[in-house]
Structures are given as C-alpha cells and as structure tokens.
C-alpha cells in the first residue's frame, strides 16, 4: 500500500439495544465523521423497500475524504467504544457475508441512494473440511471476529473523482431458512473521492438488486452446504474478493495503520447499554431477541420477563421472543 494511502477508515458496529442486533455506527477519517447513523440496531428484513439502501437514513453534513486506490478499513464491534480483540465483532452465531458497495452521486450529503450501486468488496463463504453444516464453514462474519473486527477494503483506483455513498453491509443468515428471515445490517457513509480515472461500472439498484428468494438470502445454513453464492452483482474489476477463512494481514492484525488495538487473550465483559445479558438469579438473563439456545450454545438460557426461549431454526438457534 502506498504511503500516501495510509488512511484509516473505521466503521464501528454497536449493539446498543439487543445483543446480536447491531448498527454500523461510525466512519472516521482524520477526525471527520460521515456516517448516516441508523435510528436503531434492528436489522432490515424487507429487501423490496427503500430502507435496504441506507437503513432508512438520510444525509448528514459531513463528508470523508478518500483517495482512489486507497485501502481503508471497515471495523465492526458489538458495543459502542469496545475495540477489544477478545470480543466477537458480531455475536449470536450471526454467520453470513460482508459486502461493500459504492454509488456515485452529485452530493453525498443529500443523495438518497437511488443513483445505482456497484460492489467493490466481498468476503462471503468457503467450505471447511470436516464441517457438518454451514454453521461450521468459513464466513465473512467469522473473519471479522478473527481479525479484531477489521476488514481491509480497497477503493478501486480507476473510479472517477467525486462524491460517493459507501454502503457497508452484513447479511446474517441464522434465521434465513424461510423467506424474510435473513437480517440485513447496513449503513451508508458519505465520501469525497479524489484522483481516480474514468471507470463506468455496471450498476444495480436498491431495492432491486436482491430478492427474498435469492439462494444467497433464503438459505438454511444449519444444513450442509455444497456451495453458497452471495446476493447481488459480482465485484467490479479493481475491487477485492476476499477468501473466507484467509489469514488476517496488516491493519486487520493490528500491526499497521489505524487506531491502536490491544490484542488480549480474554476480554472484559462489554458494557450493557440497554440490551444483552443481565444478571439473574442463579445465572444470567437474556433480553428480548437475544439467543437463548441451540446446538453448541453456552450462553444465557433464561429469558427476561414477558418473553420465552423459542426455537427459530431448531435445533440450531433459539431466541427470546
């Protein structure tokens, strides 16, 4: 990576209300912030609505400066301010792909996401030897957990200069065996890209790029998978397709650019900010929508008052509802 491109873009994902639910919360560049912060950490589940563009959020004043060809770093964490490498970036067995899109716009602070998008990054799925089900395979979300919540994303060097929306997205597939079960977590970030070239990639629309019946959206990952194809278009030339399960490198391992990260063998419990596990008689209590059971699950199994632990994808996943 060129020295002039050593700029850190941090995308933090905060589970402020429900453990496992989350929001892409911040994108920082040299002290600038340009995130369209979602109103809650609940997922989008309807791919036919306009909320799938930018989680239903409109523009904010700030724009983050980025140079074409630069590698930035997407960062995801469950708790706002918790940057510990010992905590899962996204928990609750929320396995699925990570994708990043760009949309060229006239003014990133006012664009509504209807201009069309192209995919610049994907970390999806790969089979794992000896896996008995898709849960045991390699996934983009597992890479985030392994790499301290960080993922390197290169801005293609040939994109035209100008304003863009960057859309970072995780699709959680733990309840995706039926239509409408997939959970989409995304936020948009307002960028001004300099340098670049004159590329004019093919575009897709949101809504439109995804259908609820797409095999990468309606899929039972609790059964054995022979293949998995992430939804949406292929990554454009000059973008990045990461092999799920590949080793962490550079900033992903906390050795290069970006804010310092302390590698720890164990993490202190994250601060409860309105969701997650709370102390209970003789153990702990899971709040509404938190995982409470399933194969290999070892967390809280007692649900808060007014909810009960119900199987969602038996026998693999149960949550408090």
């Amino acid at each position: 990576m060129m020295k002039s491109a050593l700029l850190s873009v941090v995308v933090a994902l905060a589970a402020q209300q429900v453990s496992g639910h989350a929001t892409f919360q911040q994108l920082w560049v040299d002290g600038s912030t340009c995130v369209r912060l979602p109103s809650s950490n609940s997922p989008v589940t309807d791919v036919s609505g306009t909320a799938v563009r930018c989680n239903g959020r409109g523009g904010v004043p700030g724009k983050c400066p980025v140079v074409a060809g630069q590698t930035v770093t997407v960062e995801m964490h469950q708790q706002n301010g918790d940057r510990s490498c010992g905590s899962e970036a996204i928990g609750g067995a929320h396995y699925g792909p990570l994708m990043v899109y760009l949309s060229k716009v006239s003014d990133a602070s006012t664009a509504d996401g209807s201009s069309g998008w192209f995919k610049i990054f994907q970390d999806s799925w790969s089979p794992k030897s000896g896996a008995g089900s898709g849960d045991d395979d390699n996934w983009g979300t597992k890479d985030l957990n392994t790499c301290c919540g960080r993922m390197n994303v290169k801005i293609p060097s040939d994109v035209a200069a100008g304003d863009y929306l960057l859309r970072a997205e995780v699709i959680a597939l733990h309840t995706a065996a039926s239509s409408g079960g997939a959970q989409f977590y995304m936020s948009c970030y307002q960028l001004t890209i300099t340098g670049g070239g004159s590329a004019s990639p093919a575009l897709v629309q949101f809504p439109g790029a995804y259908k609820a019946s797409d095999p990468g959206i309606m899929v039972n990952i609790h059964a054995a998978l022979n293949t998995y194809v992430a939804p949406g278009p292929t990554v454009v030339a000059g973008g990045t397709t990461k092999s799920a399960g590949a080793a962490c490198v550079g900033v992903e391992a906390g050795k290069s650019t970006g804010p310092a990260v302390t590698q720890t063998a164990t993490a202190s419990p994250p601060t409860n900010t309105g969701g997650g596990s709370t102390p209970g008689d003789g153990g702990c209590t899971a709040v509404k929508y938190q995982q409470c059971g399933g194969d290999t699950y070892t967390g809280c199994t007692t649900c808060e008052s007014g909810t009960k632990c119900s199987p969602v994808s038996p026998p693999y996943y149960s949550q408090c509802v």
Side-chain angles (χ1 to χ4, degrees):
M1 183 164 46
M2 295 178 61
K3 184 175 180 180
S4 62
L6 297 184
L7 178 67
S8 173
V9 179
V10 177
V11 184
L13 182 143
Q16 297 174 335
Q17 296 180 7
V18 182
S19 178
H21 287 195
T23 58
F24 284 100
Q25 193 250 351
Q26 294 174 340
L27 187 147
W28 301 90
V29 181
D30 287 347
S32 300
T33 185
C34 52
V35 61
R36 296 183 175 189
L37 186 64
S39 58
S40 78
N41 60 6
S42 296
V44 173
T45 57
D46 180 9
V47 296
S48 66
T50 56
V52 78
R53 292 173 181 165
C54 295
N55 217 331
R57 304 305 292 173
V60 295
K63 300 178 186 180
C64 290
V66 178
V67 179
Q70 181 176 359
T71 294
V72 298
T73 301
V74 176
E75 184 164 348
M76 176 185 290
H77 296 287
Q78 290 193 62
Q79 297 291 340
N80 186 17
D82 178 10
R83 307 285 299 284
S84 170
C85 294
S87 301
E88 285 189 321
I90 179 168
H94 282 36
Y95 304 140
L98 169 66
M99 295 175 285
V100 179
Y101 292 81
L102 284 178
S103 175
K104 193 173 190 309
V105 296
S106 297
D107 183 348
S109 66
T110 60
D112 64 2
S114 62
S115 297
W117 301 80
F118 56 98
K119 188 185 291 184
I120 64 167
F121 178 88
Q122 182 168 285
D123 183 359
S124 179
W125 169 90
S126 70
K128 187 173 182 179
S129 178
S133 70
D135 293 277
D136 302 320
D137 287 331
N138 301 309
W139 291 98
T141 54
K142 289 187 178 183
D143 288 346
L144 284 174
N145 290 338
T146 300
C147 299
C148 196
R150 297 178 168 198
M151 193 63 62
N152 295 332
V153 179
K154 180 182 178 181
I155 304 298
S157 58
D158 60 353
V159 298
D163 275 16
Y164 286 82
L165 296 179
L166 182 148
R167 178 181 179 273
E169 172 185 49
V170 157
I171 306 178
L173 300 172
H174 57 293
T175 58
S178 58
S179 181
Q183 297 181 356
F184 300 81
Y185 298 91
M186 83 291 291
S187 286
C188 288
Y189 307 88
Q190 301 172 175
L191 308 183
T192 297
I193 297 177
T194 56
S198 58
S200 182
L203 304 177
V204 297
Q205 298 291 324
F206 285 108
Y210 299 164
K211 299 190 298 295
S213 59
D214 285 343
I217 293 176
M218 190 169 70
V219 56
N220 180 12
I221 67 169
H222 308 307
L225 296 180
N226 294 320
T227 187
Y228 174 81
V229 178
T234 58
V235 174
V236 298
T240 303
T241 300
K242 183 179 183 294
S243 177
C248 312
V249 295
V251 69
E252 293 178 331
K255 298 177 181 178
S256 185
T257 62
V261 171
T262 301
Q263 301 278 357
T264 56
T266 59
S268 300
T271 303
N272 190 313
T273 55
S277 301
T278 57
D281 293 338
C284 60
T285 302
V287 299
K288 189 175 182 180
Y289 300 126
Q290 184 182 7
Q291 185 176 6
C292 56
D295 283 1
T296 73
Y297 176 71
T298 59
C300 302
T301 57
T302 300
C303 292
E304 68 176 349
S305 178
T307 67
K308 65 178 181 179
C309 190
S310 299
V312 178
S313 298
Y316 309 100
Y317 188 88
S318 299
Q319 67 181 21
C320 296
V321 292

